Structure formats: C-alpha cells, structure tokens
C-alpha cells in the first residue's frame, strides 16, 4: 500500500496544474432568446453557485449568449452541468475556437509520414488536429493544368487543446519550436471584399478580373482591363490589378492586421491603431485628445517669468518713459483723458533706454510699482536674488494685462498730484 501524498510539499503551481487550465464556456437559452432582460445579479449568483466560486470573467456576446471564462478546468466541468438560470432552461457547452490554439512547426523528418500517424503520436501533448501544408508544383509549365501535383513542404499546422500555445513540441527525441499560425485574411469569395465569409454575403457575385458584376460563364476568361474594387476608391493606391492578386496593397494591409491580431492577442480596432502608428498614419482626433493637446499647447506657450520679458512688456506699453524731471516739464502738455493718452502713445516713436542694474532694490524704477496694490487673490513673488516682482505661472494673460493697466493709471494719477503741488508752490 502506497503512502498518501504529502500535502505540505504541494506548491501553488503544482496545485494549479492539477486543476487544469482555464476554459471558455458558452451558455445559450433553449428557447433561442437572449439574456438581455435577465438580471445580471441572478446570472452571477447562478454561475457562482454552479462553479463553487467566482469565475474569471463573464460577458454577453452579440447574439445575446453568455461567454464565461473559468479559472480552471474544474470550474468548467461544474459549469457544463448548469441547466437553469432564472427559471429559464439553458445549455452550456465549450467554445469551439477559444479553447484551442494553432501553431506551425517545421520538421523535415515527417514528410513521408501520414497525418493520422502523426496525430496518434502527438495526442499525449494535447494535440487535437494535424494538417500538412502542401505546395502546388507543375513539372512542365507547357502542359495542362490538370497535371499539377501537390508536394510536401515540411510545414505542419498543429491544433492544441489549450488557449495558450506551447513553445516546443517533442518529435521523438527531437525538440521542435512552435510558431504562431497566421491565417490568410478573411475574404469573401463572392463579392471579393475583406471582413466577412461567403455564406453570410448579401452582395452580387463579382468578376475576379475587372471587379464588375460577373458576366462570364465557368471556364471563360474576362477580356476587360484589370481593376481591383478594394483599391480603386483610394487614389494613393494602384488599382490596375486583379482583386485576388497576392501583391494587392489592400491584401497586404489586411495580412499585416491579421498578424497583429494573432501575435498580440488584440481585437480588430486595436490592431488598426497599432498598424496606423507603425506606418505613420494620423488617426482621427477625439474630443479628449483635442482637449489634451490644447491644454498642453497653452502650457508651453505661457511666457517664462524673467527680467527680459517683463522689461520688454513695460517698454512696449510705456514707450515714452522719461525721468521725473522731464515728466514734470511736459506734464502740462499731456492730456488728462485716457483715450487721448492712448492715441498719443501710439503715435510717438519707440525710444531706447539705458538698462538699469537690478542687483539692489534701490536701483529699481519705483514709479512702475503703484502705491495701492490691486485687490486680487493672486500674490506676486519677490525673489531674493533678483529683487523683482514676477507673476506666477498659473496667472492668466488677462489678469496680467489688467494689473499693468492699473499700474499705469496709478502712475498717471501720481504725476498729476505732483504737478498740482508744484504749481501751488509757485
């Protein structure tokens, strides 16, 4: 009699391997109706009770059925026994494609072994299907097309009973690397367009040469010029080729999209975004993207608080700035109204001034600072090194302009009182 296993030596990884891998389960109603009007709370309670705990995920498909991803194979076996949800008869079954993965191997030693024998030997490695990739070969190009033979290439498509593709597979004593199987783009054989299969196509049959409505019988060749219906609407692409040509730009684009979806495990919309970024195409701007770009642009365009910009702005707004003595001599000629003052300032030429040193506080122009500070919630910052008042970065341009205008107004008012006192003393 063998001893029982030591449960203390069983790690979490070993326990997960014993439970099995996750599975995808489809739940359908027996009356062919959807779960749109079924309460999501009842669905969760029914699924959790059947599985003995919460599952990895659950969502509703386009046709109204439930797609459930379990955490392990044990939950999947329990969920397959579910028969009722909210007094409705249901049927649970495994998904036909999501629980499987396809890969490609190359083994020259399997060229002359049939597919059934290979499948029988690889079943212990969870292989469910084996298909060889053949190549058409015509020994004589001048002979009839019926003499074309199929030649093995050594490439084999293997389907595994797992949603995760293994990295290697054992072929006898050899170790062969498994690569992702990238299928051809989905194209309708009736209308020759991409994105849907032939059985659900509602369009008319299209000629494989000129892309018009089929006008030839079986065995006859179209004599019109070649024209591709997938490329003729794009002026940047050449459309003078057959729509089934492997060198078609649209076919190459869809082939790359299929490769992105297969290798990166993403949906079609995400694959298109990756494709556009890879080839430098500009995607359509959304509201959030436009708002973000506008905020970033306003932040980068905000002027930096330095001495040069502040002095330049003050010179532009007060180009006739002169010392006190000159201002007192010409104060009688200066109008008192603000509109006339603005007109007079715009007509005067720009004057060059001597640059003052701002190393000490006494060297600053005291006339620029008003006697009364404007009432605002923003406070100016006085740096210890430069000894100059600067505006914070978060202050808007309108507030800055209004503050400077109030300073000029206070300066003019001060000059007016100074002139009146001088005239009274005389």
């Amino acid at each position: 009699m063998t001893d029982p296993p030591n449960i203390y030596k069983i790690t979490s990884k070993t326990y997960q391997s014993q439970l099995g891998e996750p599975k995808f389960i489809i739940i359908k109603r027996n009356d062919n109706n959807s779960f749109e009007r079924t309460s999501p709370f009842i669905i969760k309670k029914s699924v959790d009770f059947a599985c003995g705990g919460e599952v990895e995920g659950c969502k509703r498909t386009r046709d109204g059925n439930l797609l459930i991803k379990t955490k392990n194979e044990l939950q999947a076996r329990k969920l397959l026994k579910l028969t009722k949800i909210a007094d409705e008869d249901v049927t649970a079954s495994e998904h036909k494609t999501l629980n499987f993965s396809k890969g490609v191997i190359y083994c020259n030693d399997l060229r002359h072994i049939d597919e059934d024998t290979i499948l029988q030997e690889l079943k212990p490695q969870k292989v469910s299907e084996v298909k060889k990739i053949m190549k058409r070969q015509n020994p004589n190009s001048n002979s009839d097309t019926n003499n074309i033979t199929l030649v093995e290439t050594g490439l084999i498509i293997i389907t595994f009973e797992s949603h995760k593709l293994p990295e290697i597979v054992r072929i006898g004593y050899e170790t062969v690397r498994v690569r992702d199987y990238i299928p051809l783009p989905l194209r309708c054989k009736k209308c020759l367009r991409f994105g849907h299969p032939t059985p659900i196509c509602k369009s008319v049959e299209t000629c494989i040469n000129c892309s018009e409505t089929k006008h030839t019988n079986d065995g006859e060749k179209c004599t019109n010029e070649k024209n591709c219906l997938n490329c003729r609407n794009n002026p940047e692409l050449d459309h003078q080729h057959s729509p089934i040509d492997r060198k078609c730009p649209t076919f190459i684009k869809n082939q790359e999209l299929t490769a992105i979806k297969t290798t990166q495990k993403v949906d079609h919309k995400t694959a298109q975004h990756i494709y556009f970024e890879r080839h430098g195409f500009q995607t359509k701007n959304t509201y959030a993207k436009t708002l973000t770009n506008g905020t970033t642009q306003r932040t980068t365009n905000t002027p930096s608080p330095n001495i040069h910009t502040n002095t330049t702005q003050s010179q532009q707004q007060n180009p006739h700035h002169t010392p006190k003595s000159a201002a007192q001599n010409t104060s009688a000629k200066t109008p008192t109204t603000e509109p006339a003052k603005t007109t007079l300032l715009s007509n005067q030429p720009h004057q060059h001034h001597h640059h003052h040193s701002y190393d000490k506080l006494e060297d600053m122009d005291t006339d620029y600072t008003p006697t009364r500070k404007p009432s605002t919630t923003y406070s100016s910052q006085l740096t210890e090194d430069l000894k100059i008042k600067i505006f914070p970065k978060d202050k808007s341009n309108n507030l800055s302009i209004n503050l400077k205008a109030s300073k000029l107004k206070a300066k003019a008012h001060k000059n007016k009182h100074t002139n009146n006192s001088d005239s009274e003393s005389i």
Side-chain angles (χ1 to χ4, degrees):
M1 181 177 180
T2 59
D3 296 334
N6 190 356
I7 61 175
Y8 299 102
K9 292 184 179 181
I10 298 178
T11 60
S12 59
K13 185 176 181 180
T14 307
Y15 181 69
Q16 290 293 336
S17 63
Q18 291 179 357
L19 293 178
E21 297 181 352
K23 291 282 186 179
F24 290 90
I25 306 297
I26 285 288
I27 298 180
K28 299 180 181 180
R29 292 180 56 172
N30 295 342
D31 54 0
N32 296 329
N33 293 330
S34 64
F35 288 92
E36 292 181 356
R37 297 187 178 182
T38 306
S39 173
F41 304 106
I42 298 178
I43 293 176
K44 184 179 186 304
K45 291 179 181 179
S46 303
V47 173
D48 292 350
F49 180 77
C51 296
E54 292 186 355
V55 295
E56 187 72 20
C58 176
K59 66 178 183 179
R60 188 181 294 112
T61 58
R62 291 183 179 180
D63 50 2
N65 299 328
L66 297 179
L67 176 62
I68 300 175
K69 181 182 179 180
T70 62
K71 293 182 178 180
N72 47 60
E73 191 175 352
L74 180 61
Q75 283 188 345
R77 288 198 299 264
K78 292 181 179 180
L79 189 59
L80 290 174
K81 300 178 182 179
L82 183 64
T83 57
K84 278 195 174 184
I85 294 180
D87 299 333
E88 296 291 341
D89 296 334
V90 298
T91 303
S93 59
E94 294 187 6
H95 199 275
K96 295 181 179 180
T97 58
L98 293 180
N99 293 320
F100 302 91
S101 58
K102 287 187 177 183
V104 179
I105 64 171
Y106 176 79
C107 186
N108 195 29
D109 298 334
L110 299 178
R111 284 178 180 267
H112 305 291
I113 302 177
D114 58 330
E115 297 176 353
D116 295 334
T117 304
I118 298 174
L119 176 61
Q120 192 67 25
E121 296 294 335
L122 295 180
K123 268 190 176 181
Q125 302 184 42
K126 295 184 178 181
V127 176
S128 60
E129 186 180 355
V130 173
K131 184 179 180 181
K132 291 186 176 183
I133 298 179
M134 311 296 286
K135 181 177 65 174
R136 294 180 181 180
Q137 185 175 5
N138 191 354
N140 189 3
S141 59
N142 296 328
S143 61
D144 192 8
T145 56
N146 296 329
N147 296 331
I148 294 177
T149 58
L150 298 178
V151 182
E152 295 186 13
T153 59
L155 297 172
I156 302 176
I157 303 174
I158 299 180
T159 305
F160 295 91
E161 295 178 349
S162 173
H163 71 284
K164 186 177 181 181
L165 190 69
E167 296 181 357
I168 59 173
V169 66
R170 296 281 184 174
I171 306 295
Y173 284 107
E174 296 182 6
T175 301
V176 182
R177 187 171 64 92
V178 181
R179 297 176 295 174
D180 290 323
Y181 169 68
I182 301 176
L184 293 175
L186 181 60
R187 178 168 55 187
C188 177
K189 297 180 181 180
K190 185 178 178 181
C191 68
L192 305 179
R193 295 185 181 275
F194 294 94
H196 65 274
T198 306
I200 65 173
C201 181
K202 298 181 180 179
S203 302
V204 295
E205 193 171 359
T206 307
C207 178
I208 61 174
N209 184 65
C210 62
S211 300
E212 301 295 337
T213 305
K214 189 173 182 180
H215 51 85
T216 58
N217 299 326
D218 295 339
E220 296 181 0
K221 292 184 178 180
C222 176
T223 58
N224 298 336
E225 294 183 357
K226 293 183 178 181
N227 188 15
C228 179
L229 77 164
N230 296 313
C231 301
R232 61 187 178 188
N233 294 329
N234 192 345
E236 298 180 357
L237 301 179
D238 181 21
H239 59 87
Q240 295 181 354
H241 56 266
S242 174
I244 60 174
D245 191 358
R246 291 294 181 91
K247 297 181 180 180
C248 172
T250 308
F251 175 82
I252 297 174
K253 173 187 174 182
N254 283 272
Q255 194 173 19
E256 187 173 352
L257 289 173
T258 306
I260 294 173
K261 290 188 290 185
T262 305
T263 55
Q264 302 189 18
K265 311 296 183 184
V266 295
D267 56 352
H268 185 72
K269 187 175 181 180
T270 308
Q272 281 187 328
H273 184 69
I274 296 173
Y275 176 84
F276 291 148
E277 287 186 347
R278 182 180 298 177
H279 292 274
F281 294 107
Q282 294 183 355
T283 56
K284 189 175 182 180
N285 290 336
T286 59
Y287 174 76
K289 187 175 181 180
T290 305
L291 185 63
T292 305
N293 294 339
T295 306
T296 307
Q297 198 171 22
R298 287 197 302 271
T299 305
T300 55
N301 292 339
T302 303
S304 59
N306 49 46
I307 301 175
H308 180 70
T309 54
N310 290 338
T311 55
T312 305
Q313 291 177 1
S314 62
Q315 290 178 3
Q316 290 178 358
Q317 293 193 3
N318 193 9
H320 67 291
H321 177 69
T322 55
K324 282 186 177 181
S325 58
Q328 292 176 0
N329 296 334
T330 58
S331 59
K333 301 178 182 180
T334 305
T336 56
T337 57
E338 288 296 328
K341 181 179 179 181
T342 306
T343 307
L344 190 62
L345 292 176
S346 61
N347 294 332
Q348 290 183 359
H350 179 72
Q351 299 179 5
H352 298 280
H353 307 284
H354 179 68
H355 292 281
H356 299 281
S357 175
Y358 294 97
D359 294 337
K360 295 182 180 181
L361 185 62
E362 291 78 13
D363 295 334
M364 294 176 57
D365 187 7
T366 55
D367 293 341
Y368 184 77
T369 305
T371 56
R372 182 179 179 182
K373 294 183 179 180
S375 59
T376 174
T377 58
Y378 298 92
S379 60
S380 60
Q381 300 177 357
L382 184 62
T383 59
E384 297 179 359
D385 299 335
L386 301 178
K387 302 296 184 181
I388 183 171
K389 291 186 177 182
I390 60 176
F391 294 105
K393 291 183 179 180
D394 55 348
K395 186 177 294 185
S396 62
N397 295 332
N398 295 331
L399 182 60
S400 177
I401 295 173
N402 295 335
L403 184 58
K404 291 179 180 179
S406 62
K407 289 182 179 181
L408 294 175
K409 186 175 180 181
K411 180 180 177 181
H413 185 69
K414 182 179 179 180
N415 293 338
K416 181 179 179 181
H417 283 288
T418 304
N419 296 335
N420 293 337
S421 60
D422 293 341
S423 60
E424 290 177 359
S425 61
I426 294 172

